[in-house]
Amino acid sequence: SPCLRPKGSIKSIQIIGLGMVAVPASFVNSFLDFLNRKLALRFRRRLTDFFHATYLKDMVFYQLGNLDSRISNPDQRLTADIEKWANSLSTIYANFTKPSLDIILFSQKLAEIMGWAGPLIVIAWYLVSGFFLKLVSPSFGKLIAGEQRLEGEYRASQTDLVHHAEEIAF
């Protein structure tokens, strides 16, 4: 009977139950991270192959470096920007599906407990808070674009410094 069971054994059963859920959950999260990185690597390899083939065809590299100033720092764009874009692209799937699945499962369980009024209130709260956050948040896209531009200019300046080190020292 439950009254005769010592309190310590109930806690140990709960801890064992938590461990039986936490260990597979950490494995799944690590595996998802592995798959995201593998997907990012594939995106990066394919994009790099495509852009290098385009960059080296018909002396485009010469035209970009010496004749055309519309694209600044092509070396930056062919290395770091492709990597960052591939990483961002690979996380879209996980960042979209996992929260969606969580909302669906959470809403279903909440509907079982409280009826459909509970999930509707929660969804309304998500929509209102999302709208409010959109109003007060800065334009992160512009901030990141500015950061990328400054990073590229800095790398180009460092490259110029290395290439013209003798003349600068003279």
Side-chain angles (χ1 to χ4, degrees):
S1 94
C3 295
L4 299 176
R5 189 178 300 161
K7 280 189 172 183
S9 66
I10 292 174
K11 287 185 181 183
S12 62
I13 290 172
Q14 290 173 337
I15 290 174
I16 291 170
L18 178 64
M20 291 179 73
V21 170
V23 170
S26 70
F27 174 76
V28 167
N29 285 335
S30 297
F31 191 67
L32 284 173
D33 188 43
F34 167 75
L35 289 177
N36 276 341
R37 290 174 191 235
K38 192 171 183 175
L39 185 63
L41 186 60
R42 286 187 181 181
F43 282 143
R44 184 177 176 191
R45 177 172 286 148
R46 288 182 179 170
L47 284 169
T48 300
D49 289 345
F50 172 77
F51 283 117
H52 278 140
T54 305
Y55 187 61
L56 296 174
K57 186 171 70 173
D58 298 330
M59 298 202 4
V60 170
F61 66 92
Y62 178 77
Q63 294 170 3
L64 281 177
N66 297 316
L67 304 176
D68 192 357
S69 63
R70 287 180 294 173
I71 298 176
S72 60
N73 312 319
D75 53 337
Q76 158 79 18
R77 295 179 190 274
L78 287 172
T79 54
D81 289 355
I82 287 178
E83 178 186 5
K84 288 179 181 180
W85 196 82
N87 288 336
S88 298
L89 184 63
S90 71
T91 59
I92 286 176
Y93 180 72
N95 287 343
F96 179 73
T97 56
K98 190 174 184 301
S100 300
L101 182 64
D102 288 346
I103 288 172
I104 290 168
L105 295 175
F106 176 72
S107 296
Q108 183 181 12
K109 193 65 172 174
L110 193 60
E112 288 175 12
I113 296 170
M114 296 181 62
W116 284 104
L120 292 176
I121 291 171
V122 170
I123 290 171
W125 171 254
Y126 284 147
L127 292 174
V128 168
S129 62
F131 180 73
F132 177 73
L133 285 174
K134 181 71 176 166
L135 287 176
V136 298
S137 295
S139 175
F140 289 111
K142 287 181 183 177
L143 292 174
I144 290 173
E147 177 191 18
Q148 294 294 321
R149 182 183 50 78
L150 291 173
E151 231 177 72
E153 289 173 4
Y154 178 71
R155 285 187 186 190
S157 299
Q158 291 299 321
T159 303
D160 289 344
L161 181 65
V162 169
H163 287 274
H164 303 291
E166 256 182 57
E167 294 152 359
I168 293 170
F170 182 69

